[in-house]
Amino acid sequence: MAYTNFTVETDADGIALVTWDMPGKSMNVFTAEVMDELNAIIDATVADAAVKGVVFTSGKSSFSGGADLSMIKSMFSFYQDEKAKDPTAATQKLFNLVGRMTGLFRKLETCGKPWVSAINGTCMGGAFELSLACHGRVASSAKSVKIALPEVKVGIFPGAGGTQRVSRLTDAQSALQMMTTGQSLTAARAKAMNLLHQVVEPDQLIPAAKQMIKDGLKPIAPWDEKGFKVPNGGIWTPAAAQLWPAAPAILRRETSGNYPAALAILKCVYEGLQVPFDTGLKIEQRYFTQVLQTTEAYSMIRSLFISMQELGKGARRPAGQPKAALKKVGVVGAGFMGASIAYVTAAAGIPVTLIDRDIEAAIKGKGVGEGLVKDSIGKGRLTQDEGAALLSRITPSADYSDLKDVDLVIEAVFEDRDVKKAVIEAVEAVLPASAIFASNTSTLPISGLAENSKRPADFIGVHFFSPVEKMMLTEVILGKETGDRAIAVALDYVAAIKKTPIVVNDTRGFFVNRCVFRYIHEAYDMLIGGVPAAMIENAAKMAGMPVGPLALNDEVAIDLSYKILKATVADLGEKAVDPRHMQLVSGLVESEGRLGRKNSKGFYDYPPKPAKKSLWPGLKDLYPQKKADDVDVGVLKQRFLVTIALEAARTMEEGIVTDPREADVGSILGFGFAPYTGGALSYIDGMGAKVFVDLCEKLAAAYGPHFKPTALLKDMAAKGETFYGRFDPYRVEKAA
Ligand code: NAD
């Protein structure tokens, strides 16, 4: 029989090699059609007496990315539609749907013939769950092999037997660690955890898998054998008594109870290990059905998987623009940002000319890349040759004429209008007519900078975040006259360096920094109001923010905050900033010399390593302190999330951001906005505009007018609208 997604070839030894290779896709994923075909393959191989066993592998360089999350997203819509008709029947139908993959893998596991999974590359989620249901697992030793059950990162968990099989193969602690963090394992680590039988040279993969069958591999899973014992004796042992009482506390410390899927993993393992395997699968199926009904799962899958993928693939790229082949990029300004921008560009295989005022400064900038390459070689991420090739692509220079053949220039010189003006003119004097000029400014409006350009249609902002090599987001900023070709080239560049772009219109602070400063300013308000600094930082983390606002301000630098406040007063007048904020920041910078992490003195003190940073005790003396018992941590958490979400809503209302996917993804990737919410706008949509508006009004009455809900939000509340409904990102596709 012919399949669309698989080929099946049976050799002279009666071993069927099933190769998964989906047409037109760069990676194999589980879809309804794939599951139907796999089901048919199981039936066919069982029915064929000539088949002794099956080796299952992939025809692509990776094994598989797991379930197609669009399929899971469609389960949400299905459930919502059905729920409106009959909630109980809807939950039952969802439960049945959820069990489909579980049932398929269990059928494979109990089919009576041995299956071996031959893992040739990245093997994620459902694909690893399928492998766990096979009787043998062999992986290639190639560096590209990564094994993970990463579902928790998008708000769900391994719900196709993963929680039950992993915890019956390895000790519970390692199982929990793997699944609650979604960490990637090397093949060697997976083998050490007893999740693989063999790791072999890449060219030995299929022969080794076949050999397992020839050697008489039993078609019975360990847990289906009589007398099977859970590793380390299961739940009722002295060792388990050390683990289980602490596990929920550790999880709470790590997640503040914000991630229902992570808690469900704990429950599945704890409960599942006390019952027979098939009952364990049922328990897992029930929790999975429950988690799928949470706002967190829905919002996280939408933002962190679907939207992120769509934006990465150029959802905002103007139609009709040919793809830009970036043969060479210029970076002007080899300082803190420029040096790293040159590095990530070279790492993407694009030659870079790195320019500074003198050659020494340019060479120093390349040195940053050399340090990063050395680090990567040390960690085994790059070979010596790969590192050398990467560095050979960065050419330091002090001569602007070296930019004569670049396709794109990224300017990262001092944040000073006059310096930038001179650089724009000098660069444009040599730049080819077809090239695009991008500025990495963080505060200067792009339209204003473009006034210095002879070709404002080819002028754009490409705003990186520090540290450039780690931060996944770039903001692409449109000036008033920026043309479609400049947008296309900027987006093609961002895609080439494997970052996620959001496209925003020009405004002070663009999108990310506008929101970030709301977060920091709320912390200033709390400090001024006498909230102990430790409570401010902890409340923010409990709300789901990765870094407390005071620690973040130290990273950004307090003197930079001071400079920005002063610039805002200069441009917009005294009323544009809160005088108490100005007083706090000027006092820290001018009277106390506390500039932030950079001089080891900010809201925190930074003693030499290995000592850890600690909050500066002097903060207590700045304002009369409230007693901890008089502070409501729940309200602090709300203030942080609401003030940021409100700012994100304002950017939509002002037309700065036009697509809710960008505000959501930008808020998570740009400054870690509580990922379980799905982002700043999903936070509002998740609770509903009406509830959000009421909350804003309550906070405005207690903490100031900056919490007042905007006209847009009130209108949405009155009409029962959501951001994804009102600013539907798919409206054009739907209309077509
Ligand atoms: P930096 O001071 O570390 O580097 C600026 C570099 O530009 C220096 O090496 C300087 O010698 C060079 N330079 C100055 N004038 C020049 C000229 N005429 N020709 C060539 N080189 C010249 O500054 P930075 O932190 O890298 O910031 C650079 C830009 O990036 C600024 O616009 C800043 O707003 C923006 N930015 C900074 C951050 C950040 O976190 N630091 C984040 C995003 C964007």
Side-chain angles (χ1 to χ4, degrees):
M1 186 178 160
Y3 304 96
T4 306
N5 302 290
F6 299 93
T7 55
V8 183
E9 294 162 82
T10 305
D11 68 12
D13 295 318
I15 298 174
L17 179 66
V18 175
T19 307
W20 188 6
D21 197 351
M22 296 173 82
K25 287 211 182 252
S26 57
M27 197 181 249
N28 294 320
V29 286
F30 279 102
T31 59
E33 185 187 60
V34 164
M35 287 199 277
D36 285 343
E37 292 193 350
L38 186 57
N39 190 35
I41 291 171
I42 299 170
D43 288 341
T45 49
V46 167
D48 186 345
V51 173
K52 303 277 180 296
V54 178
V55 169
F56 186 90
T57 194
S58 154
K60 305 204 186 283
S61 58
S62 59
F63 186 81
S64 158
D68 177 358
L69 289 185
S70 317
M71 177 173 84
I72 297 201
K73 193 181 170 214
S74 68
M75 284 189 198
F76 288 114
S77 335
F78 164 83
Y79 174 67
Q80 290 306 333
D81 293 348
E82 293 284 316
K83 198 169 117 185
K85 292 181 238 156
D86 179 348
T88 313
T91 309
Q92 182 62 48
K93 282 186 188 165
L94 185 64
F95 179 75
N96 295 343
L97 245 140
V98 162
R100 178 142 191 246
M101 214 152 150
T102 310
L104 180 65
F105 295 169
R106 186 67 176 139
K107 172 172 169 173
L108 184 161
E109 188 169 60
T110 55
C111 75
K113 289 190 177 174
W115 280 57
V116 179
S117 176
I119 301 170
N120 58 312
T122 295
C123 178
M124 298 279 166
F128 189 54
E129 291 184 290
L130 171 127
S131 302
L132 289 168
C134 291
H135 310 95
R137 287 170 292 283
V138 188
S140 142
S141 60
K143 212 166 63 176
S144 58
V145 174
K146 293 265 178 300
I147 291 169
L149 294 172
E151 290 87 341
V152 77
K153 292 184 179 170
V154 289
I156 52 177
F157 69 86
T163 64
Q164 300 307 302
R165 292 191 176 91
V166 171
S167 60
R168 281 169 172 79
L169 287 168
T170 194
D171 66 280
Q173 188 167 352
S174 307
L176 292 181
Q177 169 81 11
M178 175 186 186
M179 292 186 284
T180 55
T181 62
Q183 66 184 173
S184 274
L185 308 175
T186 59
R189 174 75 189 125
K191 169 133 191 319
M193 282 171 66
N194 197 34
L195 300 178
L196 297 176
H197 295 93
Q198 292 182 45
V199 178
V200 298
E201 291 294 318
D203 61 348
Q204 288 307 303
L205 185 66
I206 302 301
K210 288 187 169 178
Q211 193 59 45
M212 280 186 89
I213 295 171
K214 286 188 221 160
D215 289 346
L217 179 70
K218 272 212 254 174
I220 302 173
W223 34 91
D224 289 327
E225 299 262 25
K226 234 181 148 148
F228 168 73
K229 292 251 183 326
V230 169
N232 293 347
I235 300 293
W236 305 108
T237 64
Q242 302 283 323
L243 170 70
W244 285 103
I250 294 169
L251 186 72
R252 197 161 180 89
R253 186 190 65 200
E254 299 300 321
T255 64
S256 300
N258 289 325
Y259 294 85
L263 185 61
I265 292 170
L266 242 66
K267 292 179 181 174
C268 286
V269 174
Y270 184 76
E271 294 172 27
L273 287 183
Q274 302 182 56
V275 294
F277 183 73
D278 283 307
T279 313
L281 288 181
K282 272 275 175 306
I283 290 172
E284 184 190 80
Q285 191 178 346
R286 290 216 169 102
Y287 280 121
F288 199 76
T289 308
Q290 208 178 67
V291 163
L292 270 189
Q293 295 170 54
T294 61
T295 310
E296 288 85 348
Y298 177 75
S299 306
M300 285 177 81
I301 288 185
R302 180 169 65 186
S303 292
L304 291 168
F305 183 76
I306 297 179
S307 301
M308 205 132 100
Q309 232 180 35
E310 287 168 354
L311 297 179
K313 283 187 184 154
R316 293 294 310 282
R317 202 177 177 285
Q321 290 293 330
K323 192 166 161 19
L326 293 158
K327 288 191 283 304
K328 191 169 165 191
V329 166
V331 176
V332 183
F336 180 66
M337 294 301 284
S340 303
I341 295 170
Y343 167 79
V344 297
T345 308
I350 305 170
V352 190
T353 299
L354 178 59
I355 294 214
D356 209 294
R357 287 177 294 185
D358 49 58
I359 187 71
E360 289 75 23
I363 290 173
K364 191 165 161 232
K366 180 170 176 176
V368 171
E370 286 162 356
L372 290 166
V373 163
K374 200 168 151 210
D375 234 36
S376 293
I377 293 174
K379 289 182 181 146
R381 293 196 191 125
L382 281 181
T383 62
Q384 291 284 355
D385 288 351
E386 286 163 345
L390 189 162
L391 289 172
S392 74
R393 287 191 282 271
I394 304 178
T395 309
S397 164
D399 183 356
Y400 279 71
S401 67
D402 287 343
L403 299 173
K404 63 180 182 308
D405 55 350
V406 300
D407 302 301
L408 168 72
V409 163
I410 299 164
E411 167 278 305
V413 299
F414 298 141
E415 189 73 341
D416 178 300
R417 281 196 181 90
D418 293 334
V419 175
K420 291 210 191 274
K421 177 175 189 291
V423 167
I424 293 164
E425 287 166 0
V427 169
E428 284 192 357
V430 294
L431 207 58
S434 59
I436 299 297
F437 188 105
S439 174
N440 178 46
T441 177
S442 39
T443 55
L444 303 172
I446 292 300
S447 304
L449 287 178
E451 283 169 13
N452 304 306
S453 167
K454 288 205 195 78
R455 31 206 274 202
D458 295 338
F459 198 101
I460 196 162
V462 174
H463 183 213
F464 286 85
F465 297 90
S466 149
V468 176
E469 63 284 0
K470 292 216 178 95
M471 295 293 286
M472 293 310 300
L473 186 74
T474 36
E475 261 179 313
V476 172
I477 298 123
L478 310 184
K480 271 202 285 291
E481 297 187 50
T482 302
D484 279 358
R485 206 173 61 82
I487 307 176
V489 171
L491 290 179
D492 290 345
Y493 167 71
V494 173
I497 58 170
K498 296 197 173 62
K499 300 209 183 281
T500 305
I502 58 170
V503 179
V504 305
N505 288 311
D506 208 6
T507 178
R508 179 178 292 273
F510 313 131
F511 170 72
V512 169
N513 285 347
R514 271 181 66 159
C515 294
V516 165
F517 280 104
R518 286 285 173 183
Y519 178 48
I520 290 175
H521 289 174
E522 200 55 33
Y524 292 174
D525 279 357
M526 291 176 186
L527 263 184
I528 293 163
V531 178
M535 287 188 86
I536 297 176
E537 295 290 84
N538 285 337
K541 286 191 212 142
M542 286 160 75
M545 303 298 291
V547 183
L550 303 177
L552 182 66
N553 201 170
D554 277 357
E555 297 297 329
V556 172
I558 305 176
D559 58 328
L560 181 65
S561 295
Y562 187 32
K563 216 170 133 188
I564 293 173
L565 286 179
K566 283 196 289 191
T568 309
V569 170
D571 292 351
L572 304 176
E574 294 277 348
K575 285 211 176 108
V577 307
D578 184 331
R580 301 166 315 150
H581 293 181
M582 188 66 110
Q583 197 188 8
L584 166 65
V585 171
S586 70
L588 286 170
V589 173
E590 287 181 358
S591 315
E592 305 286 348
R594 304 195 76 88
L595 309 183
R597 152 90 80 183
K598 66 184 182 187
N599 76 338
S600 305
K601 276 164 49 175
F603 289 102
Y604 286 78
D605 282 323
Y606 298 85
K609 283 187 176 165
K612 285 195 175 149
K613 68 177 181 190
S614 58
L615 280 159
W616 174 46
L619 286 174
K620 288 197 198 77
D621 305 324
L622 296 181
Y623 303 97
Q625 295 286 285
K626 279 193 170 136
K627 287 207 197 77
D629 283 350
D630 295 338
V631 179
D632 184 337
V633 173
V635 174
L636 299 186
K637 285 163 57 179
Q638 279 176 340
R639 285 172 66 181
F640 283 130
L641 299 187
V642 170
T643 195
I644 297 171
L646 251 173
E647 191 65 17
R650 286 187 198 105
T651 64
M652 292 293 291
E653 191 160 357
E654 294 164 21
I656 301 303
V657 179
T658 53
D659 183 326
R661 292 175 296 184
E662 295 184 302
D664 273 342
V665 170
S667 65
I668 297 178
L669 295 187
F671 52 96
F673 184 86
Y676 63 90
T677 62
L681 295 183
S682 284
Y683 171 67
I684 301 177
D685 278 2
M687 72 174 83
K690 167 92 179 65
V691 176
F692 185 74
V693 163
D694 290 347
L695 182 56
C696 289
E697 269 158 3
K698 211 175 83 196
L699 293 174
Y703 303 102
H706 62 290
F707 278 114
K708 277 197 180 146
T710 65
L712 168 71
L713 284 162
K714 285 198 226 164
D715 189 49
M716 286 172 57
K719 294 179 179 151
E721 285 179 341
T722 60
F723 278 98
Y724 281 81
R726 182 156 177 153
F727 301 92
D728 183 356
Y730 307 106
R731 58 191 176 275
V732 179
E733 286 159 41
K734 283 179 190 160

